[in-house]
mmCIF file of all heavy atoms in Angstrom:
data_model
loop_
_atom_site.group_PDB
_atom_site.id
_atom_site.type_symbol
_atom_site.label_atom_id
_atom_site.label_comp_id
_atom_site.label_asym_id
_atom_site.label_seq_id
_atom_site.Cartn_x
_atom_site.Cartn_y
_atom_site.Cartn_z
ATOM 1 N N LEU K 275 28.528 -3.574 18.535
ATOM 2 C CA LEU K 275 28.159 -2.193 18.235
ATOM 3 C C LEU K 275 29.368 -1.258 18.263
ATOM 4 O O LEU K 275 29.324 -0.164 17.686
ATOM 5 C CB LEU K 275 27.107 -1.703 19.234
ATOM 6 C CG LEU K 275 26.433 -0.365 18.921
ATOM 7 C CD1 LEU K 275 25.673 -0.433 17.598
ATOM 8 C CD2 LEU K 275 25.487 0.050 20.041
ATOM 9 N N ASP K 276 30.448 -1.653 18.903
ATOM 10 C CA ASP K 276 31.637 -0.810 18.976
ATOM 11 C C ASP K 276 32.603 -1.047 17.815
ATOM 12 O O ASP K 276 33.627 -0.359 17.711
ATOM 13 C CB ASP K 276 32.361 -1.045 20.307
ATOM 14 C CG ASP K 276 31.525 -0.620 21.502
ATOM 15 O OD1 ASP K 276 30.756 0.356 21.356
ATOM 16 O OD2 ASP K 276 31.616 -1.271 22.562
ATOM 17 N N ALA K 277 32.297 -2.000 16.960
ATOM 18 C CA ALA K 277 33.159 -2.263 15.800
ATOM 19 C C ALA K 277 32.911 -1.200 14.736
ATOM 20 O O ALA K 277 31.780 -1.015 14.275
ATOM 21 C CB ALA K 277 32.875 -3.649 15.238
ATOM 22 N N GLN K 278 33.962 -0.505 14.354
ATOM 23 C CA GLN K 278 33.785 0.622 13.432
ATOM 24 C C GLN K 278 33.215 0.183 12.088
ATOM 25 O O GLN K 278 32.392 0.898 11.489
ATOM 26 C CB GLN K 278 35.111 1.345 13.222
ATOM 27 C CG GLN K 278 34.943 2.669 12.485
ATOM 28 C CD GLN K 278 36.240 3.447 12.386
ATOM 29 O OE1 GLN K 278 37.163 3.031 11.698
ATOM 30 N NE2 GLN K 278 36.321 4.579 13.083
ATOM 31 N N ALA K 279 33.610 -0.985 11.620
ATOM 32 C CA ALA K 279 33.087 -1.450 10.336
ATOM 33 C C ALA K 279 31.567 -1.594 10.387
ATOM 34 O O ALA K 279 30.862 -1.245 9.427
ATOM 35 C CB ALA K 279 33.727 -2.784 9.967
ATOM 36 N N LEU K 280 31.049 -2.086 11.496
ATOM 37 C CA LEU K 280 29.605 -2.234 11.635
ATOM 38 C C LEU K 280 28.936 -0.886 11.865
ATOM 39 O O LEU K 280 27.811 -0.657 11.395
ATOM 40 C CB LEU K 280 29.282 -3.208 12.768
ATOM 41 C CG LEU K 280 29.843 -4.618 12.592
ATOM 42 C CD1 LEU K 280 29.365 -5.525 13.727
ATOM 43 C CD2 LEU K 280 29.444 -5.210 11.245
ATOM 44 N N GLN K 281 29.613 0.009 12.574
ATOM 45 C CA GLN K 281 29.068 1.358 12.742
ATOM 46 C C GLN K 281 28.914 2.053 11.394
ATOM 47 O O GLN K 281 27.916 2.754 11.149
ATOM 48 C CB GLN K 281 29.978 2.179 13.658
ATOM 49 C CG GLN K 281 29.966 1.755 15.109
ATOM 50 C CD GLN K 281 30.912 2.586 15.967
ATOM 51 O OE1 GLN K 281 31.729 3.355 15.449
ATOM 52 N NE2 GLN K 281 30.828 2.408 17.283
ATOM 53 N N PHE K 282 29.905 1.872 10.521
ATOM 54 C CA PHE K 282 29.813 2.484 9.188
ATOM 55 C C PHE K 282 28.617 1.922 8.415
ATOM 56 O O PHE K 282 27.923 2.645 7.707
ATOM 57 C CB PHE K 282 31.105 2.225 8.413
ATOM 58 C CG PHE K 282 32.265 3.098 8.819
ATOM 59 C CD1 PHE K 282 32.142 4.034 9.845
ATOM 60 C CD2 PHE K 282 33.486 2.993 8.176
ATOM 61 C CE1 PHE K 282 33.209 4.835 10.219
ATOM 62 C CE2 PHE K 282 34.550 3.795 8.535
ATOM 63 C CZ PHE K 282 34.420 4.713 9.569
ATOM 64 N N ARG K 283 28.390 0.617 8.557
ATOM 65 C CA ARG K 283 27.250 0.012 7.858
ATOM 66 C C ARG K 283 25.937 0.582 8.393
ATOM 67 O O ARG K 283 25.029 0.913 7.624
ATOM 68 C CB ARG K 283 27.283 -1.502 8.013
ATOM 69 C CG ARG K 283 26.132 -2.188 7.310
ATOM 70 C CD ARG K 283 26.372 -3.663 7.139
ATOM 71 N NE ARG K 283 27.440 -3.922 6.179
ATOM 72 C CZ ARG K 283 27.633 -5.091 5.587
ATOM 73 N NH1 ARG K 283 26.828 -6.108 5.856
ATOM 74 N NH2 ARG K 283 28.613 -5.255 4.732
ATOM 75 N N LEU K 284 25.827 0.714 9.702
ATOM 76 C CA LEU K 284 24.626 1.305 10.302
ATOM 77 C C LEU K 284 24.450 2.753 9.841
ATOM 78 O O LEU K 284 23.328 3.189 9.562
ATOM 79 C CB LEU K 284 24.723 1.250 11.826
ATOM 80 C CG LEU K 284 24.664 -0.141 12.458
ATOM 81 C CD1 LEU K 284 25.121 -0.081 13.911
ATOM 82 C CD2 LEU K 284 23.259 -0.726 12.367
ATOM 83 N N ALA K 285 25.559 3.483 9.770
ATOM 84 C CA ALA K 285 25.487 4.877 9.332
ATOM 85 C C ALA K 285 24.963 4.975 7.903
ATOM 86 O O ALA K 285 24.141 5.853 7.587
ATOM 87 C CB ALA K 285 26.864 5.533 9.443
ATOM 88 N N ASP K 286 25.425 4.097 7.038
ATOM 89 C CA ASP K 286 24.947 4.094 5.656
ATOM 90 C C ASP K 286 23.456 3.765 5.594
ATOM 91 O O ASP K 286 22.702 4.375 4.826
ATOM 92 C CB ASP K 286 25.730 3.076 4.824
ATOM 93 C CG ASP K 286 27.140 3.552 4.485
ATOM 94 O OD1 ASP K 286 27.405 4.770 4.649
ATOM 95 O OD2 ASP K 286 27.961 2.720 4.065
ATOM 96 N N MET K 287 23.026 2.806 6.389
ATOM 97 C CA MET K 287 21.614 2.430 6.403
ATOM 98 C C MET K 287 20.742 3.617 6.828
ATOM 99 O O MET K 287 19.724 3.921 6.195
ATOM 100 C CB MET K 287 21.394 1.238 7.344
ATOM 101 C CG MET K 287 22.037 -0.050 6.843
ATOM 102 S SD MET K 287 22.316 -1.286 8.149
ATOM 103 C CE MET K 287 20.640 -1.801 8.526
ATOM 104 N N ALA K 288 21.169 4.299 7.879
ATOM 105 C CA ALA K 288 20.399 5.446 8.367
ATOM 106 C C ALA K 288 20.398 6.580 7.354
ATOM 107 O O ALA K 288 19.371 7.247 7.143
ATOM 108 C CB ALA K 288 20.975 5.929 9.702
ATOM 109 N N THR K 289 21.534 6.813 6.714
ATOM 110 C CA THR K 289 21.637 7.890 5.727
ATOM 111 C C THR K 289 20.741 7.617 4.521
ATOM 112 O O THR K 289 20.033 8.513 4.030
ATOM 113 C CB THR K 289 23.097 8.041 5.273
ATOM 114 O OG1 THR K 289 23.912 8.345 6.404
ATOM 115 C CG2 THR K 289 23.241 9.158 4.242
ATOM 116 N N GLU K 290 20.763 6.401 4.037
ATOM 117 C CA GLU K 290 19.947 6.053 2.875
ATOM 118 C C GLU K 290 18.455 6.153 3.184
ATOM 119 O O GLU K 290 17.666 6.622 2.350
ATOM 120 C CB GLU K 290 20.321 4.646 2.395
ATOM 121 C CG GLU K 290 21.712 4.599 1.768
ATOM 122 C CD GLU K 290 22.308 3.203 1.723
ATOM 123 O OE1 GLU K 290 21.530 2.226 1.841
ATOM 124 O OE2 GLU K 290 23.536 3.093 1.582
ATOM 125 N N LEU K 291 18.063 5.753 4.395
ATOM 126 C CA LEU K 291 16.661 5.888 4.784
ATOM 127 C C LEU K 291 16.253 7.363 4.883
ATOM 128 O O LEU K 291 15.154 7.736 4.483
ATOM 129 C CB LEU K 291 16.396 5.189 6.117
ATOM 130 C CG LEU K 291 16.248 3.670 6.052
ATOM 131 C CD1 LEU K 291 16.045 3.108 7.456
ATOM 132 C CD2 LEU K 291 15.096 3.267 5.155
ATOM 133 N N ALA K 292 17.154 8.191 5.412
ATOM 134 C CA ALA K 292 16.849 9.620 5.507
ATOM 135 C C ALA K 292 16.674 10.237 4.123
ATOM 136 O O ALA K 292 15.775 11.062 3.899
ATOM 137 C CB ALA K 292 17.951 10.345 6.284
ATOM 138 N N ALA K 293 17.518 9.846 3.174
ATOM 139 C CA ALA K 293 17.394 10.362 1.806
ATOM 140 C C ALA K 293 16.086 9.904 1.166
ATOM 141 O O ALA K 293 15.386 10.693 0.511
ATOM 142 C CB ALA K 293 18.588 9.892 0.966
ATOM 143 N N ALA K 294 15.744 8.637 1.356
ATOM 144 C CA ALA K 294 14.487 8.126 0.803
ATOM 145 C C ALA K 294 13.297 8.831 1.423
ATOM 146 O O ALA K 294 12.329 9.183 0.733
ATOM 147 C CB ALA K 294 14.403 6.618 1.029
ATOM 148 N N ARG K 295 13.344 9.041 2.734
ATOM 149 C CA ARG K 295 12.240 9.720 3.415
ATOM 150 C C ARG K 295 12.062 11.138 2.881
ATOM 151 O O ARG K 295 10.933 11.597 2.667
ATOM 152 C CB ARG K 295 12.500 9.740 4.918
ATOM 153 C CG ARG K 295 11.361 10.342 5.738
ATOM 154 C CD ARG K 295 11.640 10.286 7.231
ATOM 155 N NE ARG K 295 11.700 8.909 7.689
ATOM 156 C CZ ARG K 295 12.809 8.308 8.128
ATOM 157 N NH1 ARG K 295 13.965 8.963 8.143
ATOM 158 N NH2 ARG K 295 12.771 7.060 8.538
ATOM 159 N N ALA K 296 13.151 11.844 2.645
ATOM 160 C CA ALA K 296 13.064 13.212 2.128
ATOM 161 C C ALA K 296 12.383 13.227 0.762
ATOM 162 O O ALA K 296 11.560 14.108 0.473
ATOM 163 C CB ALA K 296 14.461 13.827 2.041
ATOM 164 N N LEU K 297 12.700 12.254 -0.093
ATOM 165 C CA LEU K 297 12.091 12.196 -1.422
ATOM 166 C C LEU K 297 10.605 11.849 -1.321
ATOM 167 O O LEU K 297 9.776 12.436 -2.035
ATOM 168 C CB LEU K 297 12.823 11.171 -2.285
ATOM 169 C CG LEU K 297 12.349 11.023 -3.734
ATOM 170 C CD1 LEU K 297 12.330 12.359 -4.461
ATOM 171 C CD2 LEU K 297 13.234 10.018 -4.473
ATOM 172 N N VAL K 298 10.249 10.942 -0.432
ATOM 173 C CA VAL K 298 8.838 10.592 -0.234
ATOM 174 C C VAL K 298 8.053 11.811 0.228
ATOM 175 O O VAL K 298 6.956 12.101 -0.273
ATOM 176 C CB VAL K 298 8.703 9.428 0.767
ATOM 177 C CG1 VAL K 298 7.239 9.229 1.175
ATOM 178 C CG2 VAL K 298 9.263 8.140 0.173
ATOM 179 N N HIS K 299 8.607 12.559 1.170
ATOM 180 C CA HIS K 299 7.908 13.744 1.672
ATOM 181 C C HIS K 299 7.803 14.825 0.599
ATOM 182 O O HIS K 299 6.781 15.509 0.490
ATOM 183 C CB HIS K 299 8.622 14.280 2.916
ATOM 184 C CG HIS K 299 8.423 13.411 4.118
ATOM 185 N ND1 HIS K 299 8.606 13.857 5.407
ATOM 186 C CD2 HIS K 299 8.035 12.114 4.243
ATOM 187 C CE1 HIS K 299 8.347 12.880 6.261
ATOM 188 N NE2 HIS K 299 8.012 11.813 5.569
ATOM 189 N N GLN K 300 8.846 14.977 -0.210
ATOM 190 C CA GLN K 300 8.796 15.943 -1.303
ATOM 191 C C GLN K 300 7.687 15.582 -2.285
ATOM 192 O O GLN K 300 6.918 16.452 -2.733
ATOM 193 C CB GLN K 300 10.137 15.991 -2.029
ATOM 194 C CG GLN K 300 10.165 16.973 -3.195
ATOM 195 C CD GLN K 300 11.432 16.860 -4.041
ATOM 196 O OE1 GLN K 300 12.297 16.028 -3.766
ATOM 197 N NE2 GLN K 300 11.543 17.683 -5.060
ATOM 198 N N ALA K 301 7.588 14.306 -2.625
ATOM 199 C CA ALA K 301 6.553 13.866 -3.562
ATOM 200 C C ALA K 301 5.160 14.048 -2.966
ATOM 201 O O ALA K 301 4.223 14.444 -3.671
ATOM 202 C CB ALA K 301 6.787 12.401 -3.931
#
Side-chain angles (χ1 to χ4, degrees):
L275 190 62
D276 296 327
Q278 191 175 68
L280 300 184
Q281 290 179 349
F282 283 1
R283 180 164 291 198
L284 292 166
D286 285 345
M287 292 159 70
T289 300
E290 290 160 19
L291 281 178
R295 184 178 295 112
L297 182 53
V298 170
H299 288 200
Q300 180 189 1

